[in-house]
Amino acid sequence: MENTQLQHFSIIDFTHGYAKQVSELYHSAVQQINHPRYPQAKLDAWSAAPRSTKFWQLRYQRNRAWLALNNQQQLVGFISVETHFKHRGYIDCLYVAPDCQHQGIASALLNQLVQWTEKQHYSHLSVDASYLSKALFEKRGFSLKQISYQQKRGQTFTGFYMQKSLILR
């Protein structure tokens, strides 16, 4: 298990025992978004209720994920990458607990993912960033390729399909 100690949290590989906390954090992070582009109807379409632990356990059997834990070993953030695109990783989740945002957790999780993908000799990373995460990805060298639209439960979500080339070693 990879473990990077940071000032107030650590990053570990996903383990099945944290699936319930991942589900609760995901739902909480979505439902507590306070942004004019995300009215309550969109938040409910995005995450109406926490998903089952089985959903997350199965999802991260296929993909690679890391968890940020606080000093009490409680989940404060997570990130994951789909790994079946032939050396092109697609970041499918990056969430931080609402009361832990703006503390460097998302950046540290993204650093962990980038380091891992570079070791795997991935040539590119991509993501469909939200209005909220777009700036983080831009700061990390991702460039906008196109505006994307997703339909979910009758709501349309505008996203930003972004890509970053990785330096192969």
Side-chain angles (χ1 to χ4, degrees), residues 50 95 130 165:
Y95 291 90
S130 68
S165 293

Side-chain angles (χ1 to χ4, degrees), residues 22 26 46 51 55-56 59-60 63-66 77-82 90-96 109-110 113 126-128 137:
V22 166
Y26 175 89
W46 193 341
R51 292 183 172 162
F55 169 87
W56 295 102
R59 184 177 194 150
Y60 293 142
N63 301 328
R64 189 66 198 247
W66 295 269
F78 70 99
I79 193 169
S80 62
V81 62
E82 293 182 4
Y90 176 78
I91 301 169
D92 70 336
C93 282
L94 174 55
Y95 291 90
V96 174
L109 286 164
L110 187 54
L113 185 146
S126 60
V127 65
D128 278 296
F137 289 107

